[in-house]
Amino acid sequence: MSRHQAPPGGRRPRVAEQIHHEIAALIRGELKDPRIGMVTVTGCEITADYAYTTIYFTVFPSDEQTVADTLAGLQHAAGFLRGQLGRRVKIHTTPEVRFVHDRSIEHGMELSQLIDEANSRRASDADSDEDSDADSDADSDADSDEDSGPTVES
């Protein structure tokens, strides 16, 4: 390992986790902007030099207008959040805060919906196969009765 590489699980992930918690608490308790509604902080990444932190968030409801309004409110409050973060987290450089809407939950819901649709199609295909097999079995039984011809009893 090079002298300039941070060991895995070093200080940076711990600082990012603390920033995550502090930003979430600040958004929940300190911000009064009406554009910022039900925001959930889903992740935090910090650069190696601690100059920038990217905060990932989701918002409910997640329509485009609400996301745009929330992002504008968070960007407007970024300076305030950075100042409060500098008071709460003791690091040499307080990082500049950037916000990004996290689409992973929406993407996961879309994938889940596609899987559910595929499973329902598979189930309906299996049902139709069973129905056609049952129909063909009934037809073959009827055909075998017809082929044997009339029975004569003695």
Side-chain angles (χ1 to χ4, degrees):
M1 182 184 324
S2 171
R3 290 188 329 175
H4 300 289
Q5 288 181 337
R11 181 171 184 245
R12 191 166 45 151
R14 291 192 314 267
V15 170
E17 186 68 24
Q18 186 171 3
I19 289 173
H20 177 163
H21 289 294
E22 295 298 336
I23 291 288
L26 286 166
I27 290 172
R28 184 176 53 251
E30 300 290 326
L31 295 185
K32 304 299 183 207
D33 192 325
R35 296 175 289 184
I36 301 171
M38 295 178 60
V39 174
T40 301
V41 176
T42 58
C44 174
E45 292 178 354
I46 190 164
T47 59
D49 62 356
Y50 295 88
Y52 300 96
T53 185
T54 303
I55 306 295
Y56 295 92
F57 72 94
T58 60
V59 64
F60 182 79
S62 63
D63 60 272
E64 289 185 29
Q65 184 62 42
T66 305
V67 170
D69 290 344
T70 302
L71 184 58
L74 289 171
Q75 288 172 339
H76 179 68
F80 169 76
L81 292 171
R82 182 179 186 190
Q84 293 299 310
L85 193 60
R87 290 180 181 85
R88 293 180 178 210
V89 179
K90 302 299 181 199
I91 55 177
H92 179 63
T93 304
T94 303
E96 181 180 321
V97 181
R98 298 175 176 173
F99 292 96
V100 175
H101 179 241
D102 186 359
R103 300 188 192 289
S104 63
I105 293 174
E106 294 170 14
H107 185 68
M109 289 173 52
E110 290 171 4
L111 288 177
S112 179
Q113 184 178 11
L114 288 173
I115 290 169
D116 290 344
E117 288 174 10
N119 286 338
S120 66
R121 282 189 202 143
R122 180 180 289 167
S124 67
D125 288 347
D127 288 344
S128 65
D129 287 346
E130 288 174 6
D131 290 343
S132 65
D133 288 344
D135 290 343
S136 65
D137 288 345
D139 290 342
S140 65
D141 289 344
D143 290 342
S144 65
D145 289 344
E146 291 172 6
D147 292 342
S148 63
T151 57
V152 178
E153 292 182 24
S154 34

